[in-house]
């Protein structure tokens, strides 16, 4: 559905996106992650045609974004982090205006507007001026305009910002429902949100793709081995003897005991071998009860930190210098304004 090939975006000497390539398959929800300043918003703005690329190619449903912008844009609905709302319009007036911009057929406009209002739960404020709405309601109006026209691809940049917990759950359910008929790209700093709704995750750092895969695949990639936590009842010498005889164990860490007469140990095994059955039968044979056995799976937060680690291995998010971020934001703003003016003239 979307092919990004060797994409580069430079702002003077600053490289925001550096030779980025990935493919988005039809009918899936993709999570787009990266530290602040990693190039996420810049990449999304190029996919939707708001920004030009220094180098590279983007195909949306077979249409080159830079060569066939109108055909490519028809395939995409976009919700930026700050929704592009006209605050002196009512909600209904604004959605009518968006429907006209998207060239939704006149006979379908009213029904589509009513449908997206119902989907985003904004029917009760359709007659109110947008400037009097709360941040949460404004976010939902922005989401409604992205869905309007029901494009093949929906790109959402921080869609739950400003929403209360109940509204967040509703938006997640809506994203799941939309995924049945649409391809969705979701950018968010809320890892739980990405894990809950995404089939595939792309992580970029310093403008480059550093990891991709399903949440489970990323966890395996980051772990590099199988980790099993054990609490065994018995003498430490006997427990050690059993562990030393186990196959495929390449490291073990004994922990401080939390229960008298037990041994706490963390086993690291080869990823391709599930050691749990072997562990169970080996300790049972020696009459050493296993009180607790737990296979440890890394969270998406841990995976994210690991793949965005600097060269020294320090666990911290990598951010570009503030001056570079400011330069990128200014350049993005200028290009967005030019694009909006051009579309208004057309």
């Amino acid at each position: 559905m979307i092919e990004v090939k060797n994409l580069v975006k430079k702002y003077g000497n600053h490289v925001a996106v550096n030779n980025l390539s990935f493919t988005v398959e039809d009918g899936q929800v993709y999570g787009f992650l990266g530290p602040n300043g990693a190039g996420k918003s810049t990449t999304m703005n190029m996919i939707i045609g708001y920004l030009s690329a220094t180098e590279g190619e983007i195909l949306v449903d077979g249409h080159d974004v830079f060569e066939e912008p109108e055909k490519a844009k028809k395939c995409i609905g976009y919700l930026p982090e700050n929704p592009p709302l006209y605050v002196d319009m009512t909600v209904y007036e604004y959605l009518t205006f968006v429907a006209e911009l998207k060239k939704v057929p006149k006979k379908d406009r009213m029904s589509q507007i009513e449908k997206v209002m119902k989907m985003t739960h904004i029917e009760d404020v359709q007659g109110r001026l947008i400037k009097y709405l709360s941040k949460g309601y404004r976010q939902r109006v922005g989401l409604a305009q992205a869905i309007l026209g029901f494009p093949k691809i929906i790109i959402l940049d921080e869609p739950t910002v400003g929403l209360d917990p109940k509204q967040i759950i509703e938006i997640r359910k809506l994203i799941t429902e939309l995924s049945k008929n649409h391809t969705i790209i979701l950018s968010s700093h809320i890892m739980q949100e990405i894990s809950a709704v995404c089939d595939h995750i792309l992580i970029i750092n310093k403008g480059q793709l550093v990891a991709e895969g399903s949440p489970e695949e990323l966890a395996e990639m980051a772990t590099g081995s199988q980790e099993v936590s054990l609490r065994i009842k018995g003498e430490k010498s006997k427990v050690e003897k059993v562990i030393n005889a186990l196959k495929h164990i390449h490291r073990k860490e004994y922990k401080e005991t939390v229960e008298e007469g037990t041994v706490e140990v963390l086993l690291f095994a080869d990823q391709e071998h599930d050691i749990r059955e072997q562990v169970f039968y080996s300790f049972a044979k020696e009459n050493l009860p296993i009180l607790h056995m737990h296979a440890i799976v890394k969270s998406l937060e841990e995976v994210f930190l690991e793949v965005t680690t600097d060269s020294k291995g320090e666990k911290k998010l990598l951010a570009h210098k503030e001056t570079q971020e400011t330069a990128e934001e200014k350049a993005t703003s200028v290009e967005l304004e030019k694009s909006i003016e051009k579309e208004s003239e057309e």
Side-chain angles (χ1 to χ4, degrees):
M1 184 57 70
I2 297 177
E3 292 181 75
V4 175
K5 303 176 182 179
N6 305 315
L7 195 63
V8 176
K9 181 63 178 179
K10 295 180 181 178
Y11 298 98
N13 294 325
H14 172 54
V15 181
V17 177
N18 187 8
N19 199 36
L20 181 63
S21 297
F22 61 86
T23 300
V24 173
E25 301 293 340
D26 190 18
Q28 294 195 46
V29 181
Y30 279 73
F32 203 39
L33 296 176
N36 291 330
K40 301 188 304 299
S41 294
T42 299
T43 300
M44 287 190 290
N45 282 323
M46 285 190 285
I47 291 174
I48 62 177
Y50 280 172
L51 292 180
S52 61
T54 306
E55 298 175 24
E57 183 181 21
I58 302 173
L59 299 178
V60 176
D61 198 23
H63 303 293
D64 189 305
V65 169
F66 309 120
E67 299 293 331
E68 303 175 277
E70 188 170 346
K71 290 182 178 179
K73 289 178 183 179
K74 280 184 178 180
C75 301
I76 298 175
Y78 179 48
L79 172 66
E81 186 172 353
N82 297 306
L85 306 176
Y86 290 95
V87 296
D88 289 322
M89 288 183 173
T90 65
V91 171
Y92 193 89
E93 288 171 343
Y94 171 70
L95 291 178
T96 302
F97 172 66
V98 172
E100 292 173 358
L101 283 180
K102 291 188 173 186
K103 299 181 180 179
V104 175
K106 285 186 178 180
K107 61 183 178 65
D108 298 328
R109 284 177 192 169
M110 185 176 293
S111 61
Q112 282 203 23
I113 290 170
E114 289 177 353
K115 186 172 183 178
V116 298
M117 287 196 301
K118 185 176 181 180
M119 291 171 72
T120 53
H121 303 287
I122 56 174
E123 310 103 306
D124 56 336
V125 297
Q126 62 180 291
R128 293 178 59 183
L129 292 176
I130 293 174
K131 64 183 176 183
Y132 296 130
L133 298 180
S134 66
K135 183 175 176 61
Y137 267 111
R138 291 190 187 197
Q139 193 72 7
R140 286 196 271 175
V141 173
L143 182 57
Q145 67 79 27
I147 300 170
L148 197 59
F150 299 96
K152 294 180 180 179
I153 302 162
I154 298 174
I155 299 177
L156 308 174
D157 191 358
E158 302 289 347
T160 57
V161 169
L163 303 185
D164 62 38
K166 183 173 182 286
Q167 292 168 342
I168 289 173
I169 293 171
E170 290 173 351
I171 295 300
R172 288 179 185 173
K173 287 181 179 178
L174 175 57
I175 291 171
T176 302
E177 189 66 26
L178 287 170
S179 69
K180 295 176 182 178
N181 299 302
H182 304 270
T183 299
I184 297 174
I185 298 178
L186 169 65
S187 175
S188 176
H189 285 95
I190 305 173
M191 301 294 176
Q192 184 183 3
E193 187 165 86
I194 295 291
S195 297
V197 302
C198 293
D199 306 305
H200 196 91
I201 297 170
L202 303 164
I203 303 178
I204 69 169
N205 190 32
K206 292 184 176 180
Q208 295 181 312
L209 185 68
V210 293
E212 69 170 312
S214 67
E216 296 77 17
E217 289 170 342
L218 289 177
E220 289 182 5
M221 179 195 308
T223 303
S225 63
Q226 181 186 174
E227 297 179 25
V228 177
S229 174
L230 293 170
R231 180 181 303 157
I232 310 297
K233 184 177 181 180
E235 297 177 10
K236 188 174 182 180
S237 59
K238 292 182 178 180
V239 172
E240 287 179 333
K241 184 178 179 181
V242 173
I243 290 175
N244 290 337
L246 294 173
K247 297 179 180 179
H248 311 300
I249 305 294
H250 56 74
R251 186 158 65 92
K252 51 187 176 294
E253 291 181 7
Y254 290 95
K255 306 291 186 180
E256 184 177 348
T257 57
V258 295
E259 189 175 340
E260 188 176 349
T262 65
V263 177
E264 298 272 342
V265 62
L266 183 61
L267 303 180
F268 298 82
D270 300 333
Q271 188 66 254
E272 61 270 19
H273 297 102
D274 189 340
I275 63 169
R276 289 174 296 178
E277 283 191 25
Q278 178 196 180
V279 168
F280 174 82
Y281 287 117
S282 296
F283 280 105
K285 185 178 179 180
E286 299 299 324
N287 295 315
L288 295 170
I290 298 175
L291 303 183
H292 171 84
M293 180 163 59
H294 173 62
I296 298 173
V297 178
K298 287 198 174 183
S299 67
L300 185 56
E301 288 89 343
E302 291 172 308
V303 174
F304 180 79
L305 288 171
E306 186 162 324
V307 298
T308 56
T309 297
D310 66 11
S311 59
K312 294 181 180 179
E314 297 172 351
K315 297 293 184 180
K316 63 181 181 181
L317 297 181
L318 295 173
H320 293 294
K321 293 181 180 179
E322 185 177 351
T323 53
Q324 293 175 320
E325 290 182 340
T326 303
E328 178 179 341
E329 290 170 0
K330 287 182 178 178
T332 300
S333 178
V334 170
E335 293 206 41
L336 283 173
E337 288 176 2
K338 287 181 179 178
S339 176
I340 293 171
E341 289 175 0
K342 184 178 178 181
E343 289 190 4
S344 298
E345 290 173 359
E346 293 175 350

